[in-house]
Amino acid sequence: MRRTVWLWLFLGLALAQKPQVLIGTGGVGGVYFYYGTAVAELLNKGGAVQAQAMQSGGSMENLMLLRDRTDPARGVYYCGTALPDAALLAYQGEERFQGKPAPVRILFTMYPNYFHVVTTEDSGIRVLQDLKGKRVSTEVAGGIIEYEARILMSAALPGFDPRTHFAKWERTRVAESAQMLAEGTLDAFFWSGGLPTGSILELSGSLARRGKRLFLVPLVPQSTAVQMLQRRFPGVVDTGVVPKGVYNTRYDTPTLTFWNVFVCPASLPEEVAYTMVKTVFENLPTLHAAVAPARDTTLENAVRSRGGRIPYHEGAVRYFRERGVWR
């Protein structure tokens, strides 16, 4: 009996000594939530850390948690999924991080986000200027998607102000926006996510059952709006195409792409960072099976943010050197 008690005490102490890694994700219905949850499950099975995925407001909130809630003295580290432009703002101490930069380090690059301006074919919306006078959601208040949407709309409509240019301005998560559009209480919404994003896939199916069709507003590389965002985030914003087969749209849609990054604080111990990266990349088939966009999480893509302004964590670099992809 005494031996059993001591065994449980020992196991409890060992568990308590494991670093706690809290993974900020995004809202339910977006890829971040499912990706972060899958990574947390892998890390827990690996046994090196206690990991927990948490729903959040997305990139900006995840980066603020990383900066403000990480507590190395207690072994608590806030990591998370983030868009690269948001991570750059945090690292350089700009916008919401003015005067207090976040000690961001990249563990690995995940998969590309595709910018979506979602509406229906019968809405009459074909270009960004057509959003004037419409009911539009720009995603979570203060989030990076709203920030990107404002830049795009300012290029399309000089002097843009969502309170006056939109008939109704919503700031709702992707799942709620998709539902509102399906119900006819919203005309369009902005979103940035992997392909496919579950909520938009469901929306496309719901519209099709009623004889309607999803439409994505094209963002062509030559447009002033796209070029303005690329100038704001040089080397971070690229262009791509959402194939028509993804959401059953009538056409392939040109748009913007951003390679998401999985970030942790600089204070995360090197050995812990190394083990976390090793665990994820030795279990890629499980991650790929859990989340469709994770198919682009590969060893080669993991280091594609190398050479940017945000440094990789030393523990991650060590692992990628061992695997021969960091040269």
mmCIF file of all heavy atoms in Angstrom, residues 244-274:
data_model
loop_
_atom_site.group_PDB
_atom_site.id
_atom_site.type_symbol
_atom_site.label_atom_id
_atom_site.label_comp_id
_atom_site.label_asym_id
_atom_site.label_seq_id
_atom_site.Cartn_x
_atom_site.Cartn_y
_atom_site.Cartn_z
ATOM 1 N N LYS A 244 -11.729 26.110 -58.356
ATOM 2 C CA LYS A 244 -13.189 26.097 -58.322
ATOM 3 C C LYS A 244 -13.752 24.845 -57.671
ATOM 4 O O LYS A 244 -14.867 24.862 -57.132
ATOM 5 C CB LYS A 244 -13.749 26.247 -59.736
ATOM 6 C CG LYS A 244 -13.331 25.155 -60.715
ATOM 7 C CD LYS A 244 -13.848 25.450 -62.123
ATOM 8 C CE LYS A 244 -13.427 24.376 -63.109
ATOM 9 N NZ LYS A 244 -13.892 24.686 -64.486
ATOM 10 N N GLY A 245 -12.996 23.749 -57.687
ATOM 11 C CA GLY A 245 -13.482 22.516 -57.096
ATOM 12 C C GLY A 245 -13.511 22.512 -55.579
ATOM 13 O O GLY A 245 -14.174 21.657 -54.974
ATOM 14 N N VAL A 246 -12.823 23.474 -54.935
ATOM 15 C CA VAL A 246 -12.765 23.481 -53.467
ATOM 16 C C VAL A 246 -14.132 23.762 -52.862
ATOM 17 O O VAL A 246 -14.593 23.058 -51.961
ATOM 18 C CB VAL A 246 -11.730 24.523 -52.974
ATOM 19 C CG1 VAL A 246 -11.757 24.621 -51.439
ATOM 20 C CG2 VAL A 246 -10.331 24.159 -53.447
ATOM 21 N N TYR A 247 -14.810 24.808 -53.357
ATOM 22 C CA TYR A 247 -16.119 25.185 -52.801
ATOM 23 C C TYR A 247 -17.231 25.133 -53.854
ATOM 24 O O TYR A 247 -18.301 25.719 -53.657
ATOM 25 C CB TYR A 247 -16.059 26.605 -52.227
ATOM 26 C CG TYR A 247 -15.049 26.801 -51.122
ATOM 27 C CD1 TYR A 247 -13.974 27.670 -51.291
ATOM 28 C CD2 TYR A 247 -15.168 26.133 -49.902
ATOM 29 C CE1 TYR A 247 -13.048 27.872 -50.278
ATOM 30 C CE2 TYR A 247 -14.248 26.329 -48.886
ATOM 31 C CZ TYR A 247 -13.187 27.195 -49.075
ATOM 32 O OH TYR A 247 -12.267 27.395 -48.062
ATOM 33 N N ASN A 248 -16.968 24.466 -54.966
ATOM 34 C CA ASN A 248 -17.944 24.378 -56.051
ATOM 35 C C ASN A 248 -18.323 25.762 -56.592
ATOM 36 O O ASN A 248 -19.499 26.035 -56.879
ATOM 37 C CB ASN A 248 -19.204 23.633 -55.585
ATOM 38 C CG ASN A 248 -20.127 23.279 -56.741
ATOM 39 O OD1 ASN A 248 -19.667 22.992 -57.844
ATOM 40 N ND2 ASN A 248 -21.427 23.316 -56.492
ATOM 41 N N THR A 249 -17.329 26.635 -56.725
ATOM 42 C CA THR A 249 -17.567 27.925 -57.374
ATOM 43 C C THR A 249 -17.509 27.724 -58.884
ATOM 44 O O THR A 249 -17.016 26.707 -59.377
ATOM 45 C CB THR A 249 -16.526 28.966 -56.943
ATOM 46 O OG1 THR A 249 -15.210 28.433 -57.153
ATOM 47 C CG2 THR A 249 -16.683 29.326 -55.471
ATOM 48 N N ARG A 250 -17.993 28.700 -59.619
ATOM 49 C CA ARG A 250 -18.038 28.557 -61.076
ATOM 50 C C ARG A 250 -16.646 28.718 -61.706
ATOM 51 O O ARG A 250 -16.358 28.175 -62.770
ATOM 52 C CB ARG A 250 -19.009 29.587 -61.668
ATOM 53 C CG ARG A 250 -19.473 29.245 -63.070
ATOM 54 C CD ARG A 250 -20.507 30.257 -63.553
ATOM 55 N NE ARG A 250 -21.694 30.281 -62.719
ATOM 56 C CZ ARG A 250 -22.740 29.470 -62.858
ATOM 57 N NH1 ARG A 250 -22.716 28.518 -63.789
ATOM 58 N NH2 ARG A 250 -23.797 29.589 -62.069
ATOM 59 N N TYR A 251 -15.791 29.518 -61.026
ATOM 60 C CA TYR A 251 -14.475 29.807 -61.588
ATOM 61 C C TYR A 251 -13.370 29.615 -60.543
ATOM 62 O O TYR A 251 -13.634 29.694 -59.331
ATOM 63 C CB TYR A 251 -14.409 31.270 -62.080
ATOM 64 C CG TYR A 251 -15.588 31.707 -62.901
ATOM 65 C CD1 TYR A 251 -16.587 32.516 -62.347
ATOM 66 C CD2 TYR A 251 -15.707 31.327 -64.238
ATOM 67 C CE1 TYR A 251 -17.679 32.927 -63.096
ATOM 68 C CE2 TYR A 251 -16.804 31.734 -65.000
ATOM 69 C CZ TYR A 251 -17.783 32.538 -64.420
ATOM 70 O OH TYR A 251 -18.863 32.935 -65.173
ATOM 71 N N ASP A 252 -12.145 29.404 -61.016
ATOM 72 C CA ASP A 252 -10.981 29.520 -60.146
ATOM 73 C C ASP A 252 -10.883 30.994 -59.730
ATOM 74 O O ASP A 252 -11.162 31.890 -60.537
ATOM 75 C CB ASP A 252 -9.694 29.133 -60.884
ATOM 76 C CG ASP A 252 -9.644 27.657 -61.249
ATOM 77 O OD1 ASP A 252 -10.407 26.865 -60.650
ATOM 78 O OD2 ASP A 252 -8.848 27.296 -62.135
ATOM 79 N N THR A 253 -10.472 31.239 -58.479
ATOM 80 C CA THR A 253 -10.461 32.613 -57.974
ATOM 81 C C THR A 253 -9.058 33.046 -57.565
ATOM 82 O O THR A 253 -8.472 32.476 -56.630
ATOM 83 C CB THR A 253 -11.396 32.749 -56.749
ATOM 84 O OG1 THR A 253 -12.704 32.258 -57.072
ATOM 85 C CG2 THR A 253 -11.487 34.204 -56.312
ATOM 86 N N PRO A 254 -8.492 34.066 -58.227
ATOM 87 C CA PRO A 254 -7.194 34.595 -57.793
ATOM 88 C C PRO A 254 -7.336 35.306 -56.451
ATOM 89 O O PRO A 254 -8.347 35.981 -56.198
ATOM 90 C CB PRO A 254 -6.821 35.584 -58.902
ATOM 91 C CG PRO A 254 -8.123 35.980 -59.522
ATOM 92 C CD PRO A 254 -9.031 34.790 -59.394
ATOM 93 N N THR A 255 -6.349 35.160 -55.604
ATOM 94 C CA THR A 255 -6.435 35.772 -54.279
ATOM 95 C C THR A 255 -5.056 35.915 -53.666
ATOM 96 O O THR A 255 -4.034 35.670 -54.323
ATOM 97 C CB THR A 255 -7.362 34.952 -53.361
ATOM 98 O OG1 THR A 255 -7.642 35.722 -52.182
ATOM 99 C CG2 THR A 255 -6.734 33.634 -52.963
ATOM 100 N N LEU A 256 -5.009 36.295 -52.387
ATOM 101 C CA LEU A 256 -3.769 36.454 -51.634
ATOM 102 C C LEU A 256 -3.506 35.210 -50.802
ATOM 103 O O LEU A 256 -4.441 34.545 -50.349
ATOM 104 C CB LEU A 256 -3.873 37.667 -50.699
ATOM 105 C CG LEU A 256 -4.004 39.028 -51.379
ATOM 106 C CD1 LEU A 256 -4.566 40.046 -50.405
ATOM 107 C CD2 LEU A 256 -2.648 39.488 -51.894
ATOM 108 N N THR A 257 -2.239 34.903 -50.599
ATOM 109 C CA THR A 257 -1.875 33.779 -49.738
ATOM 110 C C THR A 257 -0.867 34.227 -48.690
ATOM 111 O O THR A 257 -0.072 35.143 -48.926
ATOM 112 C CB THR A 257 -1.268 32.605 -50.541
ATOM 113 O OG1 THR A 257 -0.069 33.046 -51.182
ATOM 114 C CG2 THR A 257 -2.249 32.092 -51.577
ATOM 115 N N PHE A 258 -0.929 33.575 -47.538
ATOM 116 C CA PHE A 258 -0.030 33.851 -46.410
ATOM 117 C C PHE A 258 0.339 32.501 -45.792
ATOM 118 O O PHE A 258 -0.553 31.731 -45.434
ATOM 119 C CB PHE A 258 -0.713 34.680 -45.321
ATOM 120 C CG PHE A 258 -1.448 35.914 -45.778
ATOM 121 C CD1 PHE A 258 -2.671 35.822 -46.438
ATOM 122 C CD2 PHE A 258 -0.927 37.180 -45.535
ATOM 123 C CE1 PHE A 258 -3.368 36.950 -46.847
ATOM 124 C CE2 PHE A 258 -1.616 38.314 -45.935
ATOM 125 C CZ PHE A 258 -2.832 38.208 -46.590
ATOM 126 N N TRP A 259 1.612 32.216 -45.626
ATOM 127 C CA TRP A 259 2.012 30.963 -44.995
ATOM 128 C C TRP A 259 1.972 31.109 -43.475
ATOM 129 O O TRP A 259 2.729 31.901 -42.893
ATOM 130 C CB TRP A 259 3.403 30.542 -45.464
ATOM 131 C CG TRP A 259 3.340 29.802 -46.764
ATOM 132 C CD1 TRP A 259 3.295 30.348 -48.019
ATOM 133 C CD2 TRP A 259 3.273 28.380 -46.943
ATOM 134 N NE1 TRP A 259 3.205 29.346 -48.963
ATOM 135 C CE2 TRP A 259 3.192 28.129 -48.337
ATOM 136 C CE3 TRP A 259 3.280 27.297 -46.060
ATOM 137 C CZ2 TRP A 259 3.121 26.843 -48.868
ATOM 138 C CZ3 TRP A 259 3.217 26.016 -46.595
ATOM 139 C CH2 TRP A 259 3.132 25.798 -47.975
ATOM 140 N N ASN A 260 1.073 30.366 -42.844
ATOM 141 C CA ASN A 260 0.919 30.404 -41.390
ATOM 142 C C ASN A 260 2.163 29.869 -40.685
ATOM 143 O O ASN A 260 2.861 28.997 -41.199
ATOM 144 C CB ASN A 260 -0.274 29.550 -40.965
ATOM 145 C CG ASN A 260 -1.580 30.087 -41.494
ATOM 146 O OD1 ASN A 260 -2.076 31.095 -41.029
ATOM 147 N ND2 ASN A 260 -2.148 29.406 -42.485
ATOM 148 N N VAL A 261 2.376 30.368 -39.483
ATOM 149 C CA VAL A 261 3.499 29.900 -38.678
ATOM 150 C C VAL A 261 3.015 29.443 -37.305
ATOM 151 O O VAL A 261 2.052 29.988 -36.756
ATOM 152 C CB VAL A 261 4.575 30.996 -38.505
ATOM 153 C CG1 VAL A 261 5.354 31.193 -39.798
ATOM 154 C CG2 VAL A 261 3.969 32.326 -38.050
ATOM 155 N N PHE A 262 3.686 28.425 -36.775
ATOM 156 C CA PHE A 262 3.435 27.969 -35.408
ATOM 157 C C PHE A 262 4.510 28.609 -34.559
ATOM 158 O O PHE A 262 5.701 28.388 -34.783
ATOM 159 C CB PHE A 262 3.504 26.445 -35.310
ATOM 160 C CG PHE A 262 2.994 25.899 -34.006
ATOM 161 C CD1 PHE A 262 1.683 25.496 -33.871
ATOM 162 C CD2 PHE A 262 3.838 25.801 -32.903
ATOM 163 C CE1 PHE A 262 1.197 25.006 -32.664
ATOM 164 C CE2 PHE A 262 3.369 25.311 -31.693
ATOM 165 C CZ PHE A 262 2.048 24.910 -31.575
ATOM 166 N N VAL A 263 4.096 29.427 -33.605
ATOM 167 C CA VAL A 263 5.053 30.241 -32.846
ATOM 168 C C VAL A 263 5.029 29.920 -31.356
ATOM 169 O O VAL A 263 4.015 29.469 -30.808
ATOM 170 C CB VAL A 263 4.774 31.747 -33.048
ATOM 171 C CG1 VAL A 263 5.005 32.145 -34.502
ATOM 172 C CG2 VAL A 263 3.348 32.111 -32.623
ATOM 173 N N CYS A 264 6.171 30.152 -30.730
ATOM 174 C CA CYS A 264 6.323 30.024 -29.281
ATOM 175 C C CYS A 264 7.188 31.181 -28.782
ATOM 176 O O CYS A 264 7.813 31.878 -29.586
ATOM 177 C CB CYS A 264 6.983 28.684 -28.930
ATOM 178 S SG CYS A 264 5.871 27.264 -29.061
ATOM 179 N N PRO A 265 7.243 31.385 -27.475
ATOM 180 C CA PRO A 265 8.087 32.464 -26.959
ATOM 181 C C PRO A 265 9.564 32.082 -26.980
ATOM 182 O O PRO A 265 9.917 30.894 -26.921
ATOM 183 C CB PRO A 265 7.582 32.636 -25.520
ATOM 184 C CG PRO A 265 7.032 31.293 -25.158
ATOM 185 C CD PRO A 265 6.453 30.735 -26.413
ATOM 186 N N ALA A 266 10.424 33.077 -27.035
ATOM 187 C CA ALA A 266 11.874 32.844 -27.028
ATOM 188 C C ALA A 266 12.315 32.138 -25.759
ATOM 189 O O ALA A 266 13.330 31.439 -25.750
ATOM 190 C CB ALA A 266 12.610 34.175 -27.187
ATOM 191 N N SER A 267 11.551 32.304 -24.676
ATOM 192 C CA SER A 267 11.922 31.712 -23.375
ATOM 193 C C SER A 267 11.663 30.215 -23.291
ATOM 194 O O SER A 267 12.074 29.563 -22.329
ATOM 195 C CB SER A 267 11.160 32.421 -22.253
ATOM 196 O OG SER A 267 9.749 32.316 -22.448
ATOM 197 N N LEU A 268 10.969 29.636 -24.280
ATOM 198 C CA LEU A 268 10.747 28.193 -24.263
ATOM 199 C C LEU A 268 12.112 27.498 -24.303
ATOM 200 O O LEU A 268 12.920 27.773 -25.194
ATOM 201 C CB LEU A 268 9.919 27.780 -25.480
ATOM 202 C CG LEU A 268 9.520 26.300 -25.573
ATOM 203 C CD1 LEU A 268 8.457 25.978 -24.538
ATOM 204 C CD2 LEU A 268 9.000 25.971 -26.985
ATOM 205 N N PRO A 269 12.410 26.606 -23.350
ATOM 206 C CA PRO A 269 13.729 25.960 -23.326
ATOM 207 C C PRO A 269 14.039 25.254 -24.642
ATOM 208 O O PRO A 269 13.157 24.669 -25.275
ATOM 209 C CB PRO A 269 13.603 24.958 -22.170
ATOM 210 C CG PRO A 269 12.558 25.544 -21.274
ATOM 211 C CD PRO A 269 11.574 26.199 -22.198
ATOM 212 N N GLU A 270 15.297 25.311 -25.034
ATOM 213 C CA GLU A 270 15.703 24.741 -26.321
ATOM 214 C C GLU A 270 15.343 23.264 -26.429
ATOM 215 O O GLU A 270 14.846 22.816 -27.463
ATOM 216 C CB GLU A 270 17.210 24.908 -26.523
ATOM 217 C CG GLU A 270 17.699 24.326 -27.841
ATOM 218 C CD GLU A 270 19.192 24.488 -28.051
ATOM 219 O OE1 GLU A 270 19.792 25.405 -27.456
ATOM 220 O OE2 GLU A 270 19.767 23.693 -28.818
ATOM 221 N N GLU A 271 15.572 22.505 -25.356
ATOM 222 C CA GLU A 271 15.299 21.071 -25.413
ATOM 223 C C GLU A 271 13.811 20.803 -25.591
ATOM 224 O O GLU A 271 13.415 19.861 -26.296
ATOM 225 C CB GLU A 271 15.809 20.386 -24.150
ATOM 226 C CG GLU A 271 15.843 18.871 -24.219
ATOM 227 C CD GLU A 271 16.791 18.355 -25.306
ATOM 228 O OE1 GLU A 271 17.837 18.979 -25.540
ATOM 229 O OE2 GLU A 271 16.463 17.318 -25.930
ATOM 230 N N VAL A 272 12.982 21.634 -24.961
ATOM 231 C CA VAL A 272 11.531 21.471 -25.086
ATOM 232 C C VAL A 272 11.083 21.789 -26.515
ATOM 233 O O VAL A 272 10.298 21.055 -27.118
ATOM 234 C CB VAL A 272 10.790 22.371 -24.075
ATOM 235 C CG1 VAL A 272 9.275 22.301 -24.297
ATOM 236 C CG2 VAL A 272 11.136 21.968 -22.654
ATOM 237 N N ALA A 273 11.603 22.879 -27.081
ATOM 238 C CA ALA A 273 11.254 23.246 -28.451
ATOM 239 C C ALA A 273 11.684 22.150 -29.422
ATOM 240 O O ALA A 273 10.930 21.779 -30.341
ATOM 241 C CB ALA A 273 11.918 24.567 -28.820
ATOM 242 N N TYR A 274 12.877 21.623 -29.223
ATOM 243 C CA TYR A 274 13.393 20.546 -30.072
ATOM 244 C C TYR A 274 12.464 19.334 -30.019
ATOM 245 O O TYR A 274 12.090 18.776 -31.061
ATOM 246 C CB TYR A 274 14.790 20.160 -29.602
ATOM 247 C CG TYR A 274 15.350 18.923 -30.277
ATOM 248 C CD1 TYR A 274 16.020 19.009 -31.489
ATOM 249 C CD2 TYR A 274 15.197 17.662 -29.698
ATOM 250 C CE1 TYR A 274 16.526 17.870 -32.117
ATOM 251 C CE2 TYR A 274 15.695 16.518 -30.307
ATOM 252 C CZ TYR A 274 16.359 16.626 -31.517
ATOM 253 O OH TYR A 274 16.856 15.495 -32.129
#
